[in-house]
């Protein structure tokens, strides 16, 4: 019997996290940290060799109940994206599991995999955008609701519509600084939603993030690293005003700025990770270490989800 192995990348967000939940534009890049999911037929559902416990694994449960109901499956998961790190671990789990199940069911299509994976994030978190799941599916760089990307697919939920496009990204060196603080996305998205629903000021900040994102996309196209970095730092300040940064994140951003074009938190915030755009990666890594973070250089221009069928011996 066949084993299916699917692998999907994590991500960094250059611009637009949180604002994208409200249909605003955003830009994200796939990185060279991946989530792997291996599945094969079985009598019962097993996860990593143990009987599956649905309440411990909400994303997996959501996907299995929709696309593999009442059936057994042997699932093995393996990841080098720390969970709750802001680097897209839950999205990459959803994408790799959906892609593996699609292969078992004889289904195809990047757009279908991205949509199903978004549904899982939305179902589990209550509020989400298709940013993380789309970049993990497609890889490389993606834009949301920006006119210049090559159009990939549209995703709609209630009155929100997200047009997903491929963007070409110039070569750039990004250093990630992981705070070590586990920060699940759902509660942070809910916190911003409460603020957004009740405060005109919060809605203005979201509009400002939109303007910075539009300018950021132009800076990428112009390959203007100085402008790009300064817009990233501006985006970080706006996210801090929204209340999703934190002491650890601000410390790592400030420490990196001396050797960077710019730096910002990436993902939902509250902990998790920040990124710095730099041509002095060693100095930035040292500064992040000195200030209590775990640094690593990430490489962009990574492929999206891949699926392999392996014959069992
Ligand atoms: C999390 O990586 C990005 C958020 O904008 C949530 C989402 O888009 O689903 C905070």
């Amino acid at each position: 019997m066949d084993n299916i192995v699917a692998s999907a990348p994590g991500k960094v967000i250059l611009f637009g996290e949180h604002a994208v939940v409200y249909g605003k534009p955003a830009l994200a890049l796939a990185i060279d940290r991946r989530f792997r999911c291996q599945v094969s037929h079985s009598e019962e559902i097993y996860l990593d060799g143990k009987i599956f416990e649905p309440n411990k694994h909400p994303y997996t449960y959501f996907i299995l109940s929709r696309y593999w109901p009442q059936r057994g499956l042997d699932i093995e998961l393996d990841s080098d994206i720390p969970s709750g790190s802001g680097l897209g671990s839950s999205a990459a789990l959803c994408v790799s599991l959906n892609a593996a199940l699609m292969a078992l069911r004889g289904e195809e299509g990047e757009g279908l995999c991205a949509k199903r994976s978004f549904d899982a994030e939305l179902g589990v978190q209550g509020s989400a955008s298709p940013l993380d799941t789309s970049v993990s599916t497609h890889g490389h760089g993606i834009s949301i609701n920006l006119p210049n990307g090559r159009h990939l697919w549209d995703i709609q939920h209630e009155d929100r519509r997200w047009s997903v496009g491929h963007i070409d990204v110039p070569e750039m060196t990004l250093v990630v600084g992981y705070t070590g603080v586990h920060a699940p996305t759902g509660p942070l998205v809910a916190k911003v939603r409460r603020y957004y629903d009740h405060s005109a000021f919060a809605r203005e900040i979201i509009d400002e993030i939109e303007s910075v994102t539009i300018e950021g996309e132009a800076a990428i196209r112009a390959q203007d690293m100085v402008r790009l970095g300064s817009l990233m730092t501006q985006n970080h300040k706006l996210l801090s005003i929204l209340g999703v940064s934190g002491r650890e994140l601000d410390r790592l951003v400030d420490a990196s700025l001396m050797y960077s074009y710019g730096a910002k938190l990436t993902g939902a915030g509250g902990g998790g990770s920040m990124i710095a755009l730099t041509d002095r990666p060693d100095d930035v890594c040292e500064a992040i270490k000195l200030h209590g973070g775990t640094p690593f250089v990430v490489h962009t221009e990574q492929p999206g989800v891949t699926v392999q069928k392996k014959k069992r011996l």
Side-chain angles (χ1 to χ4, degrees):
M1 197 183 294
D2 287 339
N3 271 2
I4 308 279
V5 184
S7 147
K11 61 92 201 4
V12 292
I13 299 176
L14 284 183
F15 294 103
E17 52 270 269
H18 288 289
V20 68
V21 173
Y22 307 94
K24 301 294 187 190
L27 287 167
L29 308 177
I31 58 171
D32 55 342
R33 296 244 159 177
R34 300 186 76 90
F35 205 111
R36 285 161 293 276
C37 170
Q38 175 162 320
V39 297
S40 56
H41 291 280
S42 162
E43 293 294 312
E44 305 270 338
I45 299 184
Y46 292 100
L47 181 60
D48 292 333
K50 299 193 188 115
I51 284 282
F52 179 59
E53 294 180 72
N55 50 356
K56 285 197 182 160
H57 306 279
Y59 295 98
T60 305
Y61 177 58
F62 185 98
I63 292 168
L64 290 178
S65 50
R66 286 217 168 168
Y67 306 114
W68 205 252
Q70 325 283 336
R71 300 176 70 173
L73 195 67
D74 197 351
I75 308 170
E76 277 176 39
L77 303 176
D78 166 40
S79 169
D80 41 40
I81 313 166
S83 115
S85 65
L87 300 175
S89 146
S90 66
L93 158 66
C94 294
V95 169
S96 59
L97 178 58
N98 269 317
L101 290 180
M102 283 172 63
L104 277 184
R105 289 159 51 115
E107 294 168 321
E108 282 183 6
E110 264 197 349
L112 183 64
C113 182
K115 281 186 188 124
R116 287 183 178 178
S117 303
F118 165 63
D119 285 345
E121 287 228 301
L122 186 67
V124 173
Q125 289 169 20
S127 206
S129 84
L131 179 64
D132 295 9
T133 40
S134 287
V135 74
S136 183
T137 303
H138 178 68
H140 310 282
I142 65 144
S143 65
I144 301 254
N145 291 348
L146 285 163
N148 290 305
R150 170 166 59 77
H151 181 258
L152 294 171
W153 51 75
D154 289 330
I155 293 186
Q156 188 150 1
H157 175 66
E158 292 172 346
D159 60 340
R160 306 257 143 79
R161 190 185 179 83
W162 296 273
S163 171
V164 181
H166 165 99
I167 50 158
D168 291 319
V169 182
E171 212 163 281
M172 50 173 101
T173 306
L174 289 169
V175 176
V176 168
Y178 177 38
T179 59
V181 178
H182 179 84
T185 303
L188 286 150
V189 172
K191 173 177 164 179
V192 174
R193 174 164 295 283
R194 281 193 298 278
Y195 195 20
Y196 180 89
D197 285 345
H198 294 108
S199 153
F201 178 66
R203 293 192 288 278
E204 267 171 42
I205 299 298
I206 296 280
D207 287 345
E208 279 194 47
I209 293 178
E210 172 175 27
S211 308
V212 166
T213 303
I214 292 168
E215 282 187 59
E217 191 267 337
I220 290 180
R221 259 185 302 125
Q223 308 208 1
D224 183 344
M225 294 300 139
V226 174
R227 181 84 189 123
L228 182 57
S230 122
L231 288 163
M232 285 168 64
T233 308
Q234 247 174 277
N235 194 163
H236 179 76
K237 290 186 181 143
L238 292 167
L239 288 164
S240 301
I241 297 172
L242 268 187
V244 295
S245 189
R247 225 170 346 125
E248 293 84 359
L249 278 169
D250 285 343
R251 199 163 44 220
L252 300 188
V253 166
D254 290 346
S256 308
L257 280 176
M258 202 192 310
Y259 311 108
S260 308
Y261 296 111
K264 67 182 276 292
L265 70 84
T266 182
S273 302
M274 48 69 67
I275 49 172
L277 177 67
T278 182
D279 47 22
R280 295 174 64 180
D282 293 343
D283 292 325
V284 173
C285 286
E286 205 48 47
I288 287 173
K289 254 192 250 163
L290 263 177
H291 289 81
T294 307
F296 48 95
V297 175
V298 289
H299 299 101
T300 56
E301 268 309 309
Q302 298 300 313
V305 64
T306 58
V307 177
Q308 270 180 296
K309 268 189 191 177
K310 286 189 179 167
K311 286 263 172 251
R312 256 193 186 170
L313 296 178

